[in-house]
Amino acid sequence: MENQEEAPAPAPAPGRGRGLIIGAVAGCAVLGGALTLLLWGGAAHQAPAPAAGAQALTAVNDGVPAALPDLAVLIDEREAHLRTHPGDAQSWAVLGAAYVEQGRRTADASYYPKADQALRMSLKARPEENAEALLGLAALANARRDFPEARTWAEAARKLDAKRWTTYPLLIDACTGLGDYKGADRALQELLDLRSGPAVLARAAAVYRDRGRREDAAAALHDAAAGARAPAERAAWLERAGQLAWERGDREEALRYFREASRIDPDQWAARAGEARVLAALGRTTEALNTYRVALEKQPSPQYALELGELYESLGLRHPARVQYDLLRERVRGAAEGGADEELLLGQFEADHGDAQAAVRRLRAEWERQPGIAVADALGWALHRAGEDEEALRFATAATDKVHGGGVRSALYVYHRGMIERALKQQGPARRHLQEALRINPYFSPLWAPKARAALAELGEPPAEGPPTDEDEGEDEYEDEES
């Protein structure tokens, strides 16, 4: 795990409150809005063009999310243009970038082979000095969760032009997916040195969130949303702010962010899914189920199918849960046909609802290829579910211990570590981590949060003060930082 050594995160540039950043914050995975940071930097401020296709082109070029109807118009325009001008390398690159964004926003992986073909046509038309096509291929690889290839393409683009700021968000995503946190920090610092503005704030916030610096991330997203120039862009940053609020268990604030994002951009289906998540946590179950169904119909993400299935399961509705789990498998197969890597999600699903041994095999292969923190957590949990608790704890520690790179304050990750420690009879650390998971977000899952509370109740109160015992060993190693 050499790549996962802790490196000091880039220092915020002078700016508003607490010296927070020149700018600060996806995902996601791998976080999605950076997939539109593809071609070249735009002007610091530019009024949207009246034509929908021109608006989408400006958004893609400026590195901000574009509205879905505008993207559709841009795609139609580029396709029509290229039928009569097949040697236009730049138009092929724009078309490829638009396909990537359309695939990401709609959760339709069938756009990805189209994007690949368009971007390679761009390279064929202009084999040299074609950073736009290289960046499009990097964005495509990130969208497919192929982080080694994404880094290769992004590095090639940086070699062509180190001053092209739209290279760095893609490089950050690739390094994060590979568990190369020093590389992600360096790329962020280079980005901050080159550019400011909402898109840069949004990307920086993702890195701060991954380091556990949630206050910095929240402030950066607030500024990104305030500085956004178009509704789709503002909605994207508000949706990410909602994610942050949800991760810290602030249900009401998260709901406000998600609903405002949906109001501004009715096609912001990630915000709808976030709203469903919060409604379930608020006990508004019927609303949550209906909202999940709408989000799934419009953006058929396997992740949403998993969440809805687990909500049904938490309500004792096993048949509807199985329907969603079958739908998840079907959509994972469709994503694979488009070249997308859903092994992480499928491994997470199999560990809890299918074949734990199969989950371990999938996730070991994923870890060998791209050892990010999300994979460490998932593999550790799959090993636990398969009865391999000693090895499981090593991966769970990597996912939650800042020394190993696991700075994300994730209630689910800490819950997994606590349950593994409980299985190993390490009552002290188990109690501490289960308590910490519920402090981070008491509502983190309708299925697993109640199990965390039940496990804590079973562990009971800690023993009276006395000499340290074996079960307390390592208890002080876990730092609860809010930064």
Side-chain angles (χ1 to χ4, degrees):
M1 296 179 53
E2 182 179 347
N3 283 341
Q4 298 190 27
E5 294 180 17
E6 176 72 4
R16 63 184 288 279
R18 292 186 60 203
L20 277 181
I21 331 171
I22 180 179
V25 184
C28 284
V30 177
L31 292 165
L35 293 175
T36 58
L37 291 162
L38 301 176
L39 302 179
W40 55 86
H45 179 78
Q46 181 176 345
Q55 292 185 44
L57 178 61
T58 298
V60 168
N61 290 351
D62 285 359
V64 298
L68 277 177
D70 294 354
L71 272 173
V73 172
L74 176 61
I75 287 170
D76 288 344
E77 290 177 353
R78 292 297 108 176
E79 287 176 339
H81 172 78
L82 286 162
R83 280 194 286 271
T84 55
H85 300 82
D88 186 344
Q90 183 169 312
S91 286
W92 281 117
V94 168
L95 179 60
Y99 281 145
V100 172
E101 178 68 354
Q102 193 84 333
R104 184 189 68 80
R105 290 288 305 274
T106 61
D108 184 351
S110 68
Y111 282 101
Y112 296 154
K114 296 179 181 180
D116 187 77
Q117 183 180 19
L119 293 163
R120 292 183 188 279
M121 287 295 293
S122 179
L123 282 177
K124 182 178 179 181
R126 194 200 313 153
E128 305 294 334
E129 304 296 323
N130 191 347
E132 291 88 351
L134 297 176
L135 291 177
L137 288 163
L140 174 60
N142 275 330
R144 286 171 153 170
R145 292 198 76 259
D146 185 348
F147 300 119
E149 183 159 325
R151 181 160 65 177
T152 297
W153 290 118
E155 290 285 10
R158 179 163 65 173
K159 187 175 180 180
L160 274 183
D161 182 2
K163 299 297 185 183
R164 186 183 292 264
W165 71 273
T166 48
T167 302
Y168 295 94
L170 301 170
L171 190 56
I172 290 167
D173 285 347
C175 288
T176 300
L178 290 167
D180 180 4
Y181 305 107
K182 285 186 176 181
D185 290 340
R186 285 193 299 269
L188 174 59
Q189 191 60 65
E190 290 177 90
L191 174 61
L192 293 172
D193 291 342
L194 287 170
R195 181 80 172 185
S196 61
V200 175
L201 285 164
R203 177 46 47 213
V207 175
Y208 298 146
R209 177 259 182 195
D210 289 346
R211 298 295 177 274
R213 296 167 55 182
R214 296 190 305 191
E215 291 180 1
D216 287 356
L221 280 172
H222 177 275
D223 289 350
R229 293 167 291 176
E233 178 190 2
R234 183 162 187 259
W237 309 150
L238 289 171
E239 188 274 329
R240 294 195 200 177
Q243 287 186 38
L244 280 178
W246 166 252
E247 287 175 2
R248 66 175 180 267
D250 192 334
R251 296 174 295 178
E252 298 295 345
E253 183 177 348
L255 189 61
R256 286 194 295 272
Y257 277 126
F258 289 137
R259 285 187 164 169
E260 181 65 5
S262 296
R263 185 191 68 80
I264 293 171
D265 180 4
D267 293 318
Q268 179 50 256
W269 302 112
R272 270 318 158 82
E275 181 182 345
R277 212 171 292 133
V278 176
L279 289 169
L282 289 166
R284 296 160 61 177
T285 308
T286 300
E287 291 177 78
L289 292 171
N290 290 335
T291 306
Y292 263 128
R293 292 188 196 108
V294 171
L296 263 167
E297 180 185 355
K298 300 295 185 179
Q299 188 184 31
S301 164
Q303 178 64 43
Y304 305 162
L306 177 59
E307 291 179 22
L308 179 54
E310 290 188 342
L311 177 55
Y312 277 128
E313 190 171 337
S314 74
L315 298 169
L317 301 172
R318 295 186 178 276
H319 176 69
R322 284 196 299 272
V323 169
Q324 293 305 316
Y325 296 153
D326 289 343
L327 187 60
L328 178 150
R329 290 189 178 97
E330 177 186 330
R331 287 173 178 168
V332 165
R333 284 193 294 270
E337 290 172 2
D341 177 0
E342 292 288 0
E343 289 297 289
L344 172 58
L345 179 67
L346 196 54
Q348 292 169 326
F349 165 73
E350 290 289 353
D352 283 320
H353 309 288
D355 183 339
Q357 294 290 351
V360 169
R361 289 193 296 272
R362 290 180 182 280
L363 292 166
R364 280 196 196 280
E366 192 74 356
W367 176 256
E368 288 298 319
R369 202 167 71 88
Q370 37 196 32
I373 286 301
V375 181
D377 167 72
L379 177 53
W381 186 243
L383 285 162
H384 163 68
R385 300 287 283 188
E388 303 291 337
D389 291 315
E390 292 286 352
E391 186 180 7
L393 185 56
R394 293 201 294 272
F395 285 99
T397 300
T400 54
D401 187 341
K402 289 193 72 172
V403 173
H404 296 80
V408 178
R409 288 179 53 77
S410 165
L412 182 64
Y413 294 2
V414 180
Y415 162 74
H416 285 164
R417 180 173 176 176
M419 293 297 279
I420 293 167
E421 289 165 335
R422 174 172 169 265
L424 289 167
K425 309 300 183 186
Q426 298 180 13
Q427 279 87 352
R431 185 183 298 109
R432 168 129 183 210
H433 290 121
L434 291 171
Q435 289 172 337
E436 177 65 12
L438 293 169
R439 278 198 299 270
I440 292 171
N441 182 357
Y443 324 101
F444 67 91
S445 163
L447 199 56
W448 308 120
K451 293 186 183 297
R453 286 189 284 271
L456 261 178
E458 183 181 311
L459 285 168
E461 294 298 319
E465 289 188 15
T469 64
D470 289 343
E471 75 170 29
D472 296 317
E473 186 177 351
E475 181 123 5
D476 293 333
E477 294 176 5
Y478 185 83
E479 295 185 14
D480 178 12
E481 293 187 5
E482 178 59 33
S483 185

